[in-house]
Amino acid sequence: MEQQITQLMERYLSIVDVYFPEVHLTDVIEVIILTFLIYQIMIWIKNTKAWMLLKGIIVLAVFILVAAILKMHTILFVARNSVTVMATAAIVVFQPELRRALEKLGERKFLTSVVPFETNRERVRFSEETMDSMIDAAYSMGAVKTGALIVVEQAIRLTEYESTGIRLDCMVSRQVLINIFEHNTPLHDGAIIIRGDRIVSATCYLPLSDNMGLSKDLGTRHRAAVGMSEVSDALVIAVSEETGAVSVASGGQLYRNISREELREKLTSIQNKKTDTNKLIAMWKGRHHHEEKTDE
């Protein structure tokens, strides 16, 4: 019976001539990489001006297809000789978006969640005292309508924005933050950058967001907060000078008029992110140490 089934299958496959390709591990890895890159490119195109560029390219492609069907040789000649120029122009025009896309790609932590790279690198994490100082200062300034812009650095180093301001090196405290943003003081204009438990720079210039979806009643301070969160993984606290409301920008999103508890949750979330990484490294080191003791 089994022999008859085998012969029947062989006869069927010989008639249909089914082709089964040989799949290797490298093929699977290649498909996964291409899928990830294509997905990231689609997300980037959707969230930036590149969507307008893509629509323009589609319109030009349709126009050139019509010209090819109708054999408009002059238009086809111009199109062939202008491809290189147009590609170069697109790179120049969309240079900020391309840079932002590469920065976002570099932020991905899926490899470090499996293999603890850079285990000897110092991991900066602000303390509970620093968190309390930022929260107390933000709402104290909001109560008297003192504008403020506080950038909390995470994995991406903000060296280029740090250099636009005045270098500092002081511990974060409620009194220092309030004094910096007090009206008519030398350091009140611009943003401060906090790295770990220290203020590293003040009066910093931040990039403004060109997101057209932001509310029209937002001023430069809030657009700078969103712009900073678009080009980095920093969490930015903005205190409105007009209303005294406290807002937070993270990942290109602005959370307006949040409560003290909500601000603490957002600061705790970036604390936990670093804590989880540190725990993973500690577990890996402990396991490695245990294996060494077992071998002995």
Side-chain angles (χ1 to χ4, degrees):
M1 183 67 180
E2 292 180 358
Q3 186 177 3
Q4 292 178 349
I5 295 175
T6 304
Q7 292 176 352
L8 183 62
M9 289 293 295
E10 290 177 353
R11 188 182 309 166
Y12 174 76
L13 291 176
S14 63
I15 296 174
V16 178
D17 193 18
V18 178
Y19 171 69
F20 294 100
E22 187 177 355
V23 179
H24 301 281
L25 178 61
T26 54
D27 298 325
V28 176
I29 296 174
E30 190 175 18
V31 170
I32 293 174
I33 293 174
L34 287 175
T35 303
F36 174 76
L37 291 177
I38 292 172
Y39 174 75
Q40 292 298 325
I41 291 172
M42 291 174 63
I43 294 296
W44 173 70
I45 289 175
K46 181 180 178 181
N47 295 330
T48 64
K49 292 180 181 177
W51 173 239
M52 302 299 296
L53 174 64
L54 180 61
K55 290 196 291 186
I57 291 175
I58 293 174
V59 172
L60 283 176
V62 172
F63 185 73
I64 293 173
L65 178 62
V66 172
I69 293 174
L70 299 179
K71 297 182 179 180
M72 300 179 179
H73 300 292
T74 304
I75 294 177
L76 294 177
F77 173 79
V78 172
R80 281 195 300 268
N81 289 274
S82 60
V83 169
T84 304
V85 177
M86 292 173 64
T88 305
I91 293 175
V92 172
V93 171
F94 290 92
Q95 183 269 337
E97 282 75 19
L98 290 171
R99 177 182 175 182
R100 190 176 305 167
L102 292 175
E103 288 177 344
K104 291 295 183 183
L105 184 62
E107 290 176 24
R108 302 297 175 184
K109 305 295 191 306
F110 63 93
L111 285 178
T112 55
S113 63
V114 178
V115 181
F117 294 111
E118 301 177 333
T119 56
N120 58 349
R121 180 180 174 181
E122 180 184 359
R123 297 185 178 274
V124 179
R125 171 175 172 247
F126 55 84
S127 63
E128 292 292 330
E129 291 77 10
T130 297
M131 183 192 303
D132 292 336
S133 297
M134 288 189 288
I135 296 172
D136 292 341
Y139 285 93
S140 296
M141 290 185 287
V144 294
K145 296 185 178 180
T146 298
L149 200 54
I150 303 172
V151 181
V152 184
E153 184 183 82
Q154 295 193 67
I156 297 179
R157 301 277 289 193
L158 306 177
T159 308
E160 60 177 304
Y161 304 104
E162 177 186 341
S163 61
T164 64
I166 299 174
R167 296 292 180 91
L168 299 177
D169 185 19
C170 64
M171 293 294 294
V172 177
S173 68
R174 174 181 177 274
Q175 292 77 12
V176 170
L177 292 173
I178 293 176
N179 188 65
I180 288 175
F181 291 108
E182 186 65 33
H183 291 291
N184 301 322
T185 57
L187 301 179
H188 84 282
D189 192 19
I192 67 167
I193 296 176
I194 294 177
R195 179 177 300 138
D197 291 322
R198 308 191 73 83
I199 302 173
V200 296
S201 189
T203 69
C204 300
Y205 294 99
L206 305 184
L208 298 180
S209 174
D210 55 3
N211 184 358
M212 301 303 294
L214 293 176
S215 176
K216 300 299 181 183
D217 60 347
L218 293 177
T220 305
R221 180 176 289 108
H222 290 81
R223 287 194 171 272
V226 176
M228 191 71 217
S229 70
E230 288 174 343
V231 300
S232 71
D233 62 346
L235 184 143
V236 188
I237 304 171
V239 182
S240 174
E241 192 172 358
E242 288 75 22
T243 64
V246 177
S247 302
V248 168
S250 177
Q253 299 292 324
L254 182 66
Y255 305 91
R256 302 180 62 182
N257 196 19
I258 65 173
S259 65
R260 181 184 291 263
E261 291 72 22
E262 290 172 324
L263 177 57
R264 182 176 295 277
E265 287 178 4
K266 292 191 177 298
L267 289 171
T268 303
S269 67
I270 63 176
Q271 247 193 343
N272 290 339
K273 185 188 299 184
K274 295 186 180 295
T275 303
D276 292 341
T277 306
N278 288 333
K279 284 182 179 178
L280 178 64
I281 294 172
M283 289 170 60
W284 182 80
K285 286 183 176 179
R287 178 182 176 185
H288 182 66
H289 181 66
H290 176 71
E291 288 175 353
E292 288 180 346
K293 292 180 68 176
T294 303
D295 293 338
E296 292 174 356

